[in-house]
Amino acid sequence: MKKEILNTILSSRIKKQPLAIITNIADGTQWAFAEGENENAHVFTASEIDTIKKSIKDNKSCLISDAKFFVNVFTPSLRLIIIGAVHIAQFLAPMASVAGFDVTVVDPRASFATPLRFPEISLLDEWPDEAITQLKPDTRTAIVTLTHDPKLDDPALIEALKTKAFYIASLGGTRTHGKRLERLKSEGFDEQQLQRINGPAGLDIGAISPSEIAISILAELTASLHGRLPYTREI
Amino acid sequence: MEEKFNALLNDDVLTTISNWTKSGHKAALATVIDTWGSSPRPVGSQLGINDKGELVGSVSGGCIEGAVAKQAFEVMELGSPRTLEFGVSNEDAWEVGLACGGSVRVFVERIES
């Protein structure tokens, strides 16, 4: 692998741009392919280019052209937006970060969202609805509210439901969640829309401590990512 | 993000091999290019190896990394890439293979400095 190819992969991550590296397995020659950039400058046929584009879209690396070329797809990190720089967030943020998520913790309360409590994590001291608008969640983004405070959680959920985030969850017991859904209904959301909110957040694994609750949320989020919600164990 | 990620868990293969070559080390990259049956790591998974024998990332659940690293040292020296295949291991022998019953093809290439 040439240094230029390696640097192209590393910089595509910073630019958050999907990229494919195509390798000729026989001799190791490589090309970088990003949609819209010099697509015709490559040596590939039109049908090979279509296959490469589909691999990028499906985020699926594969061999093509009778195993002559290997297409390795590099997509930007998954993202997690956490509303509420609370105690559970202090566990969920680093755990999700280790799991490969680009994590942002949102809390307008200055004494909560501090670098001391969240070393190495991106912090945003905006109101949750403004923060979500600003962060533009896409299909590879998860949003979790942890504050229990309707003043903070509700605006976040209202904005979250307008996005294509793959996972939306809200912490709070069944009764709290029921009241929350009633309030959101009066904001004009219907049953089907509200079903997108996983509440109470997390898989039922008997979690009690903040770290255990973080694990249960991360587990539910992962199940959602792989289309496994509602969760039942397949044997 | 890369730096933050590394601060928590140093398993970012490409950033790590880039740093290795910058500090004057030889390095190779192994990538899973095909799998059959049950295999622990999906296509696209990568393992970085340097001339000190340090590893980053993985191409299996730990069953074939040693054998891949051995080949990677040769690739680092000789330069031309190679494709390796690993199949089901024989439980009665100490041969390299995948205990899970799957097979993988791994492409190994040198990182040009």
Side-chain angles (χ1 to χ4, degrees):
Chain A
M1 178 178 279
K2 291 202 166 68
K3 205 174 16 178
E4 296 76 46
I5 295 279
L6 181 55
N7 289 339
T8 303
I9 305 171
L10 295 176
S11 64
S12 77
R13 291 192 195 166
I14 295 163
K15 286 188 281 184
K16 300 198 182 299
Q17 181 186 41
L19 178 81
I21 298 298
I22 300 105
T23 304
N24 181 329
I25 297 304
D27 63 10
T29 317
Q30 283 170 325
W31 301 266
F33 182 99
E35 207 150 328
E37 282 184 17
N38 297 322
E39 281 178 19
N40 299 319
H42 295 287
V43 295
F44 307 106
T45 64
S47 88
E48 282 170 341
I49 288 181
D50 283 345
T51 313
I52 295 165
K53 282 184 185 172
K54 190 172 185 308
S55 304
I56 295 175
K57 186 173 160 278
D58 298 344
N59 189 19
K60 205 165 164 41
S61 301
C62 58
L63 287 164
I64 63 163
S65 307
D66 291 327
K68 185 180 172 198
F69 298 118
F70 176 63
V71 180
N72 207 1
V73 179
F74 296 88
T75 46
S77 295
L78 292 158
R79 288 192 291 157
L80 171 62
I81 301 169
I82 300 173
I83 308 298
V86 296
H87 197 187
I88 292 166
Q90 285 181 273
F91 292 88
L92 182 57
M95 282 181 188
S97 189
V98 167
F101 285 82
D102 213 334
V103 181
T104 306
V105 175
V106 177
D107 204 314
R109 301 168 294 185
S111 56
F112 282 76
T114 66
L116 192 70
R117 283 161 56 85
F118 294 91
E120 310 289 345
I121 300 289
S122 299
L123 301 171
L124 203 53
D125 60 355
E126 303 274 356
W127 277 89
D129 48 348
E130 285 161 19
I132 288 177
T133 312
Q134 196 177 319
L135 293 167
K136 298 189 182 67
D138 57 17
T139 53
R140 289 173 57 77
T141 308
I143 302 167
V144 180
T145 73
L146 299 178
T147 73
H148 290 101
D149 181 348
K151 283 201 303 298
L152 295 166
D153 283 353
D154 287 8
L157 291 170
I158 289 167
E159 283 310 306
L161 285 170
K162 295 177 189 165
T163 71
K164 290 188 172 164
F166 75 89
Y167 176 78
I168 301 170
S170 194
L171 198 71
T174 313
R175 219 170 39 175
T176 309
H177 190 60
K179 283 188 200 157
R180 177 184 296 139
L181 293 181
E182 287 306 318
R183 288 194 304 274
L184 292 173
K185 236 178 248 172
S186 67
E187 292 284 336
F189 292 101
D190 61 30
E191 287 290 340
Q192 205 189 340
Q193 287 170 307
L194 293 177
Q195 269 176 12
R196 284 182 68 201
I197 304 173
N198 293 279
L203 292 187
D204 187 5
I205 55 170
I208 294 169
S209 68
S211 62
E212 290 171 350
I213 293 167
I215 290 167
S216 88
I217 293 172
L218 204 48
E220 186 176 62
L221 195 163
T222 306
S224 170
L225 180 64
H226 297 297
R228 292 285 304 274
L229 288 183
Y231 183 75
T232 48
R233 186 170 175 111
E234 285 172 18
I235 298 168
Chain B
M1 173 63 197
E2 252 62 74
E3 280 166 20
K4 283 175 193 168
F5 189 36
N6 274 335
L8 289 158
L9 178 72
N10 195 9
D11 90 328
D12 188 327
V13 177
L14 297 173
T15 306
T16 306
I17 59 173
S18 171
N19 292 338
W20 283 340
T21 52
K22 273 182 206 158
S23 56
H25 286 286
K26 287 181 187 166
L29 178 66
T31 306
V32 176
I33 59 168
D34 209 1
T35 64
W36 298 267
S38 151
S39 58
R41 298 285 285 126
V43 171
S45 303
Q46 297 187 307
L47 170 74
I49 307 104
N50 73 8
D51 52 6
K52 288 193 291 181
E54 291 174 332
L55 306 176
V56 58
S58 68
V59 287
S60 78
C63 1
I64 60 168
E65 271 74 7
V68 171
K70 209 170 155 191
Q71 296 276 333
F73 292 132
E74 291 180 21
V75 171
M76 268 178 233
E77 291 304 324
L78 303 172
S80 47
R82 50 182 82 169
T83 302
L84 315 173
E85 270 194 56
F86 297 93
V88 185
S89 66
N90 180 344
E91 283 177 30
D92 299 325
W94 282 101
E95 68 189 56
V96 170
L98 295 166
C100 48
S103 304
V104 290
R105 266 169 90 187
V106 179
F107 179 75
V108 185
E109 61 191 312
R110 177 161 79 177
I111 304 301
E112 306 298 340
S113 49

